[in-house]
Amino acid sequence: LDKVNEYLMTGLRTMWGVEMNELSSICSELHLPYLLEALQTETSLKNLMKEGDVWKLTQQGKLAADKVISNLFIVA
């Protein structure tokens, strides 16, 4: 879980964002549905956008990056 959360925390703060393939490979099948739902929720709130297989913060999301990213964290 720490690896997923670390990837989200660092990746979303870069211009490259986070790749779905990478998330799928480091996230357990048990937690992946939760993460996908959280990504969709933040997208509907216009805090994230998806470009191909990459999730990135929107301009609005960048202003609230800490909150957006913490909403995506997987907690044991």
Side-chain angles (χ1 to χ4, degrees), residues 3-66:
K3 191 172 185 179
V4 175
N5 292 339
E6 185 71 25
Y7 180 63
L8 290 166
M9 186 170 52
T10 57
L12 285 173
R13 287 188 167 90
T14 69
M15 62 188 242
W16 299 283
V18 294
E19 294 183 32
M20 195 62 227
N21 290 338
E22 180 67 19
L23 283 172
S24 296
S25 71
I26 61 175
C27 189
S28 72
E29 289 184 27
L30 177 66
H31 296 103
L32 193 57
Y34 164 81
L35 180 57
L36 292 174
E37 184 178 329
L39 288 165
Q40 290 295 340
T41 298
E42 291 300 326
T43 300
S44 68
L45 294 171
K46 300 192 183 334
N47 292 321
L48 290 176
M49 63 182 163
K50 188 174 183 193
E51 295 177 349
D53 279 347
V54 178
W55 297 90
K56 297 180 179 182
L57 288 169
T58 62
Q59 194 62 36
Q60 175 180 310
K62 289 176 185 176
L63 297 174
D66 290 342

